[in-house]
Amino acid sequence: MATPAFFKKSLNIVQRVGQTATVAGMTGLRIARGEKMDARLLKETFEQLGTTYIKIGQFIASTPSLFPREYVEAFQGCLDQTTPLPYSYIEGVLRDELEKNGQTLEDIFSRIEEQPLASASIAQVHSAVLKNGDKVVLKVQKPNVDTIIHTDLGLLHSMTKVLETIAPSMQFASIAPIIDEIRLRMMAETDFIQEARNIDDFQHFLTKTDNQRVVAPVVYHALSTKKVLVMERLHGVSMIDESAMRQYCKNPADVMSDVLNTWFASLMLSNSFHADLHAGNLMLLTDGRIGFIDFGIVGKLEPKAWQASMGMMDSFAKEDYQGMAHYMIEMDMTHGKAVVEVNLLAQDLESVMKKILAEDRLFVGKTIDHMNPSHMKDHADEINQMLLEIVEVGKRHGIHFPRDFALLTKQLLYFDRFMKVLAPEMDMFHDSRIQMV
């Protein structure tokens, strides 16, 4: 016999399909009136559709290896900030999740701030104080997130399968596997128990390597569930605010080298690496240590693939195209080593990369304001263009990227932006302060 929960979930699915059809219909009407179905219109449609599609937009923006340049650029501004939910909803979730064995919310917390610290597509964050005086943050999941994601991605997966059947040429783009990959990543983000494990893994890595410069927030496991994550609150400043950083450190470049050394070591020595260290998830704490926060998105690379990734990037910095070709093959980016002509691959890489480097040198000759966001975006866009060109070469040689190579590349782009502000003289690949392996 069907339960009330089953009927509620079924109703949520029907409502979500209806919402999706309405937004899609409005977009169709705009096209019928003469608007072009381009990257800008798709971005606006995705933002109206909410949670799942905003995340897909961010995936597009951070994966130049898979999507056309115009879409990568358009979705760069796809922000994961949403209108806050009323505190009454947040309190309801907290009571449902945490009130057990006669214990009430009032028994656990002495205060919960009703004004949120942040509100994103999947969760809302509030500060609070436990009864013992500990200051914490509460990450609370928004309503029906898992149903919305399952419904949206189920529809998208079905549509892409139909599209690949109708147009076999689309199969090379491997759209359906990409949707499956997004589904896995997004469902992992909605499981706060898994995020707590990611934090524990990182803290174990810090202990194992005796790293006392970096911290992650302590998780209160007894108060955490799949929909609520309770963590220590860290206090600090953003690492793209150099003047604020100088209140708590002598040299921001030294802080940047500590961040890079910790992250590179985690690629080899931790079960996973933090794959979303943007300005909001990296802090210089008031005691001078560095805080890594929000472990909802992590990646995993086999040591062999990581070594080859760094080798390929180092070869690129040296304009060693034979080396680039060699490492691309070693990374298992090819469908079969035996069928790849290394010399031809190196020649193709040299041809496109020399053209890009010539354009970059013209750009570098101009005055660059490292604090200017538009100039920093220009630099990131150029790196994206390089990746797009490498992918185009790869298509001719049967090359594909490991699943988490895009996450690693996106994180290197984040670091590139930090370095332009904090340490413009630092070379990530050849600075003596940086230990990659």
Side-chain angles (χ1 to χ4, degrees), residues 16 20 46 49-58 78 152 156:
R16 182 56 183 170
T20 304
F46 275 22
L49 287 166
T51 304
T52 312
Y53 293 86
I54 288 172
K55 291 293 183 184
I56 292 174
Q58 292 172 336
C78 197
D152 289 349
L156 282 171

Side-chain angles (χ1 to χ4, degrees), residues 35-256:
E35 284 195 52
K36 183 181 177 183
M37 184 61 211
D38 56 12
R40 177 193 57 81
L41 179 55
L42 188 64
K43 179 202 169 192
E44 291 177 7
T45 303
F46 275 22
E47 288 180 332
Q48 291 171 19
L49 287 166
T51 304
T52 312
Y53 293 86
I54 288 172
K55 291 293 183 184
I56 292 174
Q58 292 172 336
F59 184 84
I60 291 170
S62 64
T63 319
S65 59
L66 296 175
F67 299 97
R69 180 181 177 83
E70 71 221 60
Y71 288 87
V72 171
E73 291 175 341
F75 281 97
Q76 291 288 344
C78 197
L79 299 177
D80 190 20
Q81 297 297 323
T82 58
T83 303
L85 291 173
Y87 176 70
S88 57
Y89 171 79
I90 298 299
E91 182 180 338
V93 175
L94 291 172
R95 290 193 184 280
D96 288 344
E97 295 291 313
L98 302 183
E99 292 190 338
K100 306 168 187 172
N101 303 320
Q103 183 175 242
T104 68
L105 215 54
E106 290 73 20
D107 296 328
I108 303 170
F109 301 101
S110 62
R111 186 175 75 254
I112 300 175
E113 294 295 335
E114 295 190 12
Q115 187 69 23
L117 294 173
S119 180
S121 59
I122 284 177
Q124 189 159 300
V125 180
H126 290 254
S127 63
V129 179
L130 296 178
K131 278 291 188 180
N132 65 4
D134 288 356
K135 294 180 180 179
V136 296
V137 292
L138 314 177
K139 185 174 181 179
V140 182
Q141 195 167 124
K142 290 194 169 181
N144 304 319
V145 166
D146 52 352
T147 300
I148 290 170
I149 293 172
H150 272 302
T151 304
D152 289 349
L153 292 178
L155 286 171
L156 282 171
H157 190 273
S158 298
M159 287 190 291
T160 55
K161 283 292 187 185
V162 171
L163 185 61
E164 289 179 353
T165 302
I166 298 171
S169 61
M170 292 294 292
Q171 289 181 0
F172 183 81
S174 300
I175 297 175
I178 291 171
I179 297 297
D180 286 338
E181 180 67 17
I182 293 172
R183 188 207 304 266
L184 286 172
R185 294 200 189 286
M186 290 186 66
M187 293 315 296
E189 279 192 75
T190 65
D191 184 353
F192 294 165
I193 296 296
Q194 181 57 53
E195 182 173 347
R197 291 193 195 102
N198 295 340
I199 296 173
D200 288 346
D201 284 341
F202 185 74
Q203 288 173 333
H204 177 67
F205 152 74
L206 294 176
T207 300
K208 183 169 59 176
T209 56
D210 194 28
N211 186 331
Q212 299 177 26
R213 291 286 297 122
V214 173
V215 297
V218 173
V219 175
Y220 289 76
H221 289 281
L223 298 176
S224 296
T225 70
K226 188 175 180 180
K227 293 185 178 181
V228 174
L229 183 58
V230 181
M231 299 171 287
E232 167 193 15
R233 185 172 184 183
L234 301 178
H235 294 272
V237 297
S238 167
M239 280 188 53
I240 56 170
D241 188 342
E242 183 182 8
S243 59
M245 286 181 65
R246 288 190 180 276
Q247 300 174 64
Y248 308 112
C249 73
K250 291 181 180 178
N251 186 357
D254 290 339
V255 175
M256 190 71 236

Side-chain angles (χ1 to χ4, degrees), residues 163-422:
L163 185 61
E164 289 179 353
T165 302
I166 298 171
S169 61
M170 292 294 292
Q171 289 181 0
F172 183 81
S174 300
I175 297 175
I178 291 171
I179 297 297
D180 286 338
E181 180 67 17
I182 293 172
R183 188 207 304 266
L184 286 172
R185 294 200 189 286
M186 290 186 66
M187 293 315 296
E189 279 192 75
T190 65
D191 184 353
F192 294 165
I193 296 296
Q194 181 57 53
E195 182 173 347
R197 291 193 195 102
N198 295 340
I199 296 173
D200 288 346
D201 284 341
F202 185 74
Q203 288 173 333
H204 177 67
F205 152 74
L206 294 176
T207 300
K208 183 169 59 176
T209 56
D210 194 28
N211 186 331
Q212 299 177 26
R213 291 286 297 122
V214 173
V215 297
V218 173
V219 175
Y220 289 76
H221 289 281
L223 298 176
S224 296
T225 70
K226 188 175 180 180
K227 293 185 178 181
V228 174
L229 183 58
V230 181
M231 299 171 287
E232 167 193 15
R233 185 172 184 183
L234 301 178
H235 294 272
V237 297
S238 167
M239 280 188 53
I240 56 170
D241 188 342
E242 183 182 8
S243 59
M245 286 181 65
R246 288 190 180 276
Q247 300 174 64
Y248 308 112
C249 73
K250 291 181 180 178
N251 186 357
D254 290 339
V255 175
M256 190 71 236
S257 65
D258 286 335
V259 169
L260 289 169
N261 285 332
T262 299
W263 187 78
F264 284 131
S266 74
L267 291 170
M268 295 288 286
L269 300 174
S270 183
N271 289 332
S272 59
F273 64 88
H274 197 310
D276 199 29
L277 279 176
H278 53 68
N281 289 341
L282 195 57
M283 311 165 62
L284 178 62
L285 306 186
T286 53
D287 63 6
R289 295 180 299 166
I290 301 156
F292 282 40
I293 61 175
D294 196 345
F295 284 74
I297 301 176
V298 298
K300 296 181 181 181
L301 268 187
E302 293 298 322
K304 178 183 175 183
W306 155 237
Q307 297 266 13
S309 297
M310 290 300 99
M312 189 190 80
M313 293 175 189
D314 185 50
S315 296
F316 170 73
K318 295 174 181 175
E319 298 179 42
D320 173 10
Y321 302 105
Q322 283 280 342
M324 278 187 74
H326 166 75
Y327 283 115
M328 286 169 76
I329 293 169
E330 286 301 308
M331 201 191 303
D332 291 334
M333 288 166 61
T334 57
H335 291 294
K337 296 182 183 182
V339 300
V340 179
E341 290 284 349
V342 179
N343 291 335
L344 289 177
L345 175 56
Q347 289 171 17
D348 279 357
L349 287 169
E350 182 175 7
S351 176
V352 292
M353 301 319 296
K354 279 194 170 179
K355 179 183 174 183
I356 293 171
L357 287 170
E359 293 172 355
D360 284 348
R361 282 161 186 152
L362 288 174
F363 177 79
V364 170
K366 301 175 185 177
T367 301
I368 301 174
D369 177 2
H370 296 305
M371 294 301 290
N372 187 323
S374 66
H375 286 191
M376 292 167 66
K377 182 179 183 299
D378 287 342
H379 190 83
D381 287 346
E382 286 160 9
I383 296 176
N384 280 350
Q385 183 188 3
M386 293 178 192
L387 289 168
L388 288 165
E389 295 289 353
I390 290 173
V391 170
E392 287 301 314
V393 172
K395 286 181 181 179
R396 298 197 292 271
H397 293 270
I399 290 173
H400 69 286
F401 289 84
R403 289 193 313 167
D404 285 344
F405 183 77
L407 284 177
L408 181 142
T409 304
K410 181 189 74 170
Q411 188 55 56
L412 290 175
L413 287 172
Y414 280 146
F415 287 147
D416 181 76
R417 294 173 189 176
F418 280 124
M419 290 169 68
K420 290 293 173 286
V421 174
L422 303 179

